[in-house]
Amino acid sequence: ERNTVQIPLGVDNKLFTVINKNDMRKKYNIDTKKYNSIGIFVGAMNEVKGWSRIKNIINEHQDIYWIIVSKHKEELNLKNGMVYNQVNQLQLCELYNCADFFIIGSPSETQCLAAIECCLCGVHIIMRDTGFVTNLTMEEKNHIGIIGDNLEQAVYTIKNSDKKYISREIAEKYYSIGEM
């Protein structure tokens, strides 16, 4: 048996910060009257990131506007959202700040920088108990979003909830450059 310690990679908490959602949604032409919630997925559209489950959730929730961000040149015909490819970090921060929640379906993550960046932007996260969240207490997990295997139920829960999460405070405590 080995003793291991995770050495987290710090995230720029000055760049990834809370910006006015209404301003960002106007900038990116998101019709908030048509959609009752806005979700964001960041990652490759493949099974490493759990894409087939995420795509099914997107198709099932036509009332949600979906922002899909990939570092690859990928296409997806979305009636209820937009795909962005190879965006810079400033634009990524703006897109995070359009969203009500972040979702990723990865069965395993080394850290999941995108989820940490979302937390720093005050965005609730939906993901499995993997990556950086494995180092959090159950109380801290409950403060950043919904952590578990039932992503489909988590989307229903988070879009219909008015619970206030403190994801930025949790991420800043452990994962911001300023605290490392």
Side-chain angles (χ1 to χ4, degrees):
E1 185 178 316
R2 291 187 219 164
N3 283 336
T4 60
V5 176
Q6 180 190 58
I7 301 171
L9 179 65
V11 177
D12 186 346
N13 58 308
K14 289 186 176 31
L15 172 65
F16 292 101
T17 190
V18 178
I19 304 172
N20 184 288
K21 282 192 186 309
N22 291 328
D23 292 346
M24 290 299 101
R25 290 171 178 176
K26 283 179 190 168
K27 179 175 181 174
Y28 287 93
N29 298 313
I30 298 171
D31 185 351
T32 54
K33 289 182 177 72
K34 184 175 181 180
Y35 299 99
N36 70 358
S37 192
I38 298 163
I40 188 167
F41 168 88
V42 177
M45 293 181 214
N46 61 40
E47 285 318 297
V48 173
K49 298 297 181 186
W51 178 247
S52 62
R53 283 183 77 186
I54 301 303
K55 189 172 182 193
N56 287 339
I57 290 169
I58 290 169
N59 290 332
E60 187 176 319
H61 292 275
Q62 295 293 312
D63 60 326
I64 296 175
Y65 185 89
W66 294 95
I67 300 167
I68 311 300
V69 181
S70 175
K71 63 181 174 184
H72 305 294
K73 290 229 179 241
E74 298 183 285
E75 293 183 24
L76 177 68
N77 187 10
L78 268 183
K79 292 180 178 146
N80 58 329
M82 182 64 78
V83 176
Y84 296 88
N85 291 298
Q86 301 173 331
V87 300
N88 65 42
Q89 287 195 314
L90 179 59
Q91 186 178 15
L92 184 58
C93 177
E94 291 177 349
L95 291 169
Y96 287 148
N97 277 283
C98 291
D100 295 309
F101 67 91
F102 165 86
I103 187 168
I104 193 154
S106 299
S108 65
E109 284 282 340
T110 51
Q111 188 166 346
C112 199
L113 285 173
I116 296 169
E117 292 165 352
C118 276
C119 285
L120 288 170
C121 292
V123 177
H124 318 323
I125 64 170
I126 297 172
M127 67 184 285
R128 293 175 170 175
D129 196 1
T130 184
F132 84 99
V133 298
T134 60
N135 295 323
L136 301 177
T137 67
M138 187 55 81
E139 183 181 4
E140 289 168 331
K141 290 174 188 181
N142 289 333
H143 285 310
I144 64 170
I146 301 175
I147 309 304
D149 289 331
N150 195 339
L151 305 175
E152 294 80 5
Q153 180 59 46
V155 171
Y156 281 107
T157 301
I158 215 161
K159 80 176 189 179
N160 294 313
S161 172
D162 57 359
K163 178 180 176 182
K164 298 294 180 220
Y165 294 90
I166 56 167
S167 52
R168 180 167 175 85
E169 290 85 350
I170 301 294
E172 268 189 321
K173 181 177 174 183
Y174 299 111
Y175 297 100
S176 67
I177 287 175
E179 295 299 316
M180 305 208 67

